[in-house]
Amino acid sequence: MVEVKICGLTAADQVAEAVKAGADYLGLVFFARSPRNLDPARAAELAAEAGGARRVALTVDATDAELDAILARVPIEILQLHGRESPARVAEIRARFGLPVMKAVGVAGPEDLALLARHEAVADRVLVDAKAPAGAALPGGNGLSFDWRLVAGRAWPRPWMLAGGLSPENVAEAVRRTGAPAVDVSSGVERAPGIKDAALVRDFVAAAKAAG
């Protein structure tokens, strides 16, 4: 069955709804420019409500000190690196912190698949997202999709997750066309930036799991 990550949760009721809907992963964002940003203290409160879902910390080009500050307060199972971290930096973080690392790779065209392959060599999992447009304030969570044909039928040496412009309306098609074993959504289940809609979360999880 397809696994589902609900990312950018900002309130306890959102966490509760995601868990109730059957989400497998809960994404907590630590990036100051994001409307979904959390400080470690607030994130710790939300993480405590995660139940059996795995807690993922999304960071963007974070320093070791910033990661230390997060992990000192928040029980995290997976580190999601969503910036311009090099494969060497991914490997360094994985070794230093002893946690599984998921590296997000933005895809817009065939030329981006080479970077995807380089990160697969060092990360525990890759998250294939739509590449943010030039000048975008956020590296993800922009509600953009990419041409799914770029990854359809690809041989994957690591577990992977599909993101980028997914919604309750298109997630089943995305799973069927790409074979994605896991999907990630943020803005596609929001009624405003950082405000998840419980009905959209339920519909998204149900549609994704029914497709796989």
Side-chain angles (χ1 to χ4, degrees):
M1 184 176 289
V2 174
E3 293 186 313
V4 176
K5 175 170 170 276
I6 306 296
C7 196
L9 298 157
T10 59
D13 62 329
Q14 296 178 27
V15 173
E17 290 291 348
V19 171
K20 183 178 177 181
D24 303 283
Y25 303 87
L26 306 177
L28 305 174
V29 174
F30 302 90
F31 182 52
R33 294 206 300 270
S34 172
R36 308 167 186 99
N37 181 55
L38 300 169
D39 61 49
R42 180 61 178 148
E45 294 174 1
L46 301 188
E49 306 300 322
R54 282 163 281 184
R55 294 157 291 202
V56 181
L58 186 160
T59 64
V60 179
D61 300 314
T63 65
D64 286 351
E66 289 168 335
L67 293 171
D68 279 331
I70 293 167
L71 295 176
R73 297 289 302 272
V74 191
I76 291 296
E77 279 90 21
I78 300 171
L79 290 171
Q80 177 179 333
L81 309 182
H82 216 107
R84 296 183 178 181
E85 300 90 357
S86 67
R89 177 59 174 156
V90 173
E92 179 185 3
I93 289 172
R94 186 172 181 269
R96 186 182 191 281
F97 293 96
L99 287 172
V101 171
M102 175 164 62
K103 179 66 180 88
V105 178
V107 171
E111 67 279 4
D112 298 311
L113 299 181
L115 181 59
L116 180 61
R118 290 198 295 274
H119 280 297
E120 284 175 316
V122 293
D124 296 280
R125 181 189 295 258
V126 291
L127 184 145
V128 186
D129 199 358
K131 180 181 283 187
L138 303 177
N142 293 300
L144 302 175
S145 60
F146 66 95
D147 186 348
W148 297 325
R149 291 175 296 181
L150 291 168
V151 296
R154 186 178 185 273
W156 297 89
R158 299 278 190 179
W160 70 288
M161 190 175 287
L162 179 68
L166 298 180
S167 69
E169 292 74 29
N170 69 8
V171 67
E173 180 187 3
V175 169
R176 287 193 294 267
R177 290 178 61 180
T178 65
V183 292
D184 181 18
V185 68
S186 183
S187 61
V189 292
E190 290 181 341
R191 59 178 180 267
I195 308 300
K196 299 293 186 281
D197 183 286
L200 292 177
V201 169
R202 290 194 298 271
D203 290 349
F204 184 90
V205 175
K209 290 189 176 292

